[in-house]
Amino acid sequence: MSTKAAPLVHTRSHALQQRAERYFPGGVNSPVRAFRAVGGAPPFVERAEGAYVVDADGNRYIDYVGSWGPMILGHAFPPVVEAIERAARNSASFGASTASEADLAERIVACYPAIEKMRFVSSGTEATMSAIRLARAATGRKIIIKFEGCYHGHADGLLVKAGSGVATFGIPGSAGVPEEIAGLTIALPYNDLGAVEAAFAAHPDAIAAIIVEPIVGNAGCIPPHLGPAGFAPELVDRMHRQQRKAWEATVGPADYLAGLRLLTRQYGALFICDEVMTGFRVALGGACELYSLDPDLVTLGKIVGGGLPVGVFGGKQKYMDMLAPLGPVYQAGTLSGNPLAMAAGIATIGYLQEHKTEVYSRIEATARAVFDGVSQEAQKANVVLCGNRVGAMWTWFFTGGPVRNYEDAAKSDTAAFGRFHRAMLDRGVWLPPSQFEAAFLGTAHGEAEVQATIEAAKEAFRAA
Ligand code: KE4
């Protein structure tokens, strides 16, 4: 049987791409959508429902991008659509407070005990940018530690050795970021506690915060080290006795994320968990719930807005109350807490809360089935591939692996990934168009989608 799929017709998408290039650089409003990393012209989406998107030429795809995470309940989920429609009838925005903001905030704090107070913004970038400003104000320090391959949005200081689109285009950072700003960011290898300890030892009173994707999604999916191995042995001996006893009693030896928490406490820096991608994704309470984290600040986005523009930064009240109008840290936003976005978030988070067990067990089982099934097809076809998965976010890397940090991920054969991506697209499966991104699915994906995806991969591995 031929494994060659007839390439889908993209006539209208091509025409729309040409028109878009008249107005937008590369024809896109976000670089990764240009498909530069995988080649070929990007399909333009016309509509989507459940697990499927339909492009401008009427081609239908099983969607594993899900708007880069938000669509955990599937596209056009009726309760979310109806909530937005109801809110829109009362006007789209007021520039004044509404009850809906606290209605969503109540749901967020119920899921995130670490968030005592918060503020809504309109993107993950705004959330992380604001959290960094708060950390610098709270500590009076300037330096930020981030990790290679982690992406926290496009604020100047965070575009240092970033992941996602920056890694996709293989650029170290971005033009236009003055070295005076980039120089305040230390980028370290993920999953290496010794490197963090050395950075603190070299700058003991200068580091304002660590910001981390607790589960990396923007270098492709990379989970944190759990359990033994991680701390340099000599560091463990230097830990303050009480802290070490308390720490080892709770999380066991050398757990990466707990190690970051311990080091930030030891050196007086803030611990910022960037859960824009993992929040409500890997558990209702995100990685904080999964790994019992107690960060000083948390950033959220994507799912919390149900597909509409919402970012959140929040955490300990003593830090959040430093924000204007109470304190000296300024931050603002015309559409922050927008009532339509709040309505979408309330409907989404409310549904996840009400159906927590059913939702997370379902997406875990579906993701395991598709992740394992495609990995087995690669093995049968002698394709060099490894993968990482946490819940319903995962990445297949075209390298032997293991992939524990960005350096490992960068060994992937991105050309092979590009061929696989196009072969799957031609077979009606839309994967994230970059080796350095995570794939997502939601409650609308089921057995039929799993089997169709595995069948497409079986053919694609043989054709690519
Ligand atoms: P936004 O500003 O794009 O809403 O959020 C930035 C951001 C912050 N933190 C994390 C962990 C993120 O994953 C993101 C954004 N994620 C990318 C996808 N990897 C957005 C997709 C895009 O850039 O088009």
Side-chain angles (χ1 to χ4, degrees), residues 30-33 68 122-126 128 151-154 164-165 213 217-218 274-277 299 302 436-437:
S30 199
V32 74
R33 301 177 193 171
W68 298 99
S122 299
S123 69
T125 294
E126 277 189 87
T128 57
Y151 177 74
H152 304 288
H154 62 89
S164 186
E213 291 183 56
N218 289 294
D274 179 0
E275 288 228 62
V276 166
M277 185 184 289
T299 54
K302 297 181 191 278
F436 306 109
E437 293 287 359

Side-chain angles (χ1 to χ4, degrees), residues 75-326:
H75 286 288
F77 187 61
V80 175
V81 173
E82 286 147 24
I84 296 168
E85 286 173 340
R86 268 197 309 277
R89 287 193 201 99
N90 296 326
S91 180
S93 180
F94 312 111
S97 296
T98 66
S100 64
E101 292 148 81
D103 291 341
L104 181 52
E106 279 169 358
R107 288 166 171 77
I108 293 169
V109 298
C111 302
Y112 272 89
I115 297 182
E116 296 169 351
K117 275 198 178 175
M118 73 191 79
R119 179 155 288 173
F120 288 117
V121 291
S122 299
S123 69
T125 294
E126 277 189 87
T128 57
M129 175 179 75
S130 310
I132 295 290
R133 184 179 309 137
L134 201 48
R136 285 176 164 149
T139 60
R141 301 174 179 180
K142 294 181 180 178
I143 295 178
I144 297 297
I145 290 178
K146 75 175 287 289
F147 298 94
E148 290 162 9
C150 286
Y151 177 74
H152 304 288
H154 62 89
D156 279 355
L158 290 170
L159 280 178
V160 175
K161 294 190 182 177
S164 186
V166 178
T168 299
F169 296 102
I171 47 183
S174 171
V177 177
E179 61 272 11
E180 293 87 345
I181 293 178
L184 294 176
T185 302
I186 298 174
L188 299 174
Y190 183 75
N191 270 330
D192 177 346
L193 277 177
V196 182
E197 159 61 6
F200 272 114
H203 310 276
D205 304 314
I207 295 171
I210 284 180
I211 184 166
V212 68
E213 291 183 56
I215 299 160
V216 180
N218 289 294
C221 179
I222 304 177
H225 263 321
L226 296 176
F231 266 137
E234 65 279 7
L235 169 67
V236 180
D237 295 340
R238 279 209 300 275
M239 285 180 193
H240 189 282
R241 194 166 301 288
Q242 276 76 2
Q243 273 181 311
R244 185 176 160 196
K245 233 189 237 353
W247 170 70
E248 291 195 335
T250 52
V251 292
D255 174 295
Y256 180 63
L257 295 172
L260 295 181
R261 175 67 282 184
L262 194 100
L263 287 168
T264 45
R265 284 214 171 96
Q266 200 164 327
Y267 285 92
L270 266 56
F271 183 34
I272 304 173
C273 275
D274 179 0
E275 288 228 62
V276 166
M277 185 184 289
T278 53
F280 310 101
R281 165 61 53 188
V282 297
L284 184 59
C288 285
E289 175 184 323
L290 215 51
Y291 303 129
S292 309
L293 303 177
D294 181 25
D296 297 300
L297 296 175
V298 182
T299 54
L300 298 168
K302 297 181 191 278
I303 291 174
V304 75
L308 267 62
V310 178
V312 182
F313 65 106
K316 304 307 181 208
Q317 179 167 344
K318 64 180 175 182
Y319 301 127
M320 294 305 292
D321 281 353
M322 293 185 71
L323 284 169
L326 295 185

Side-chain angles (χ1 to χ4, degrees), residues 10-59:
H10 291 293
T11 316
R12 192 154 147 65
S13 283
H14 277 130
L16 290 170
Q17 175 67 18
Q18 275 170 345
R19 176 173 169 242
E21 286 174 6
R22 155 76 184 77
Y23 302 103
F24 316 118
V28 292
N29 285 295
S30 199
V32 74
R33 301 177 193 171
F35 273 43
R36 291 290 165 99
V38 294
F44 274 57
V45 174
E46 195 137 274
R47 64 184 187 282
E49 189 176 0
Y52 293 86
V53 294
V54 179
D55 73 14
D57 294 279
N59 302 306

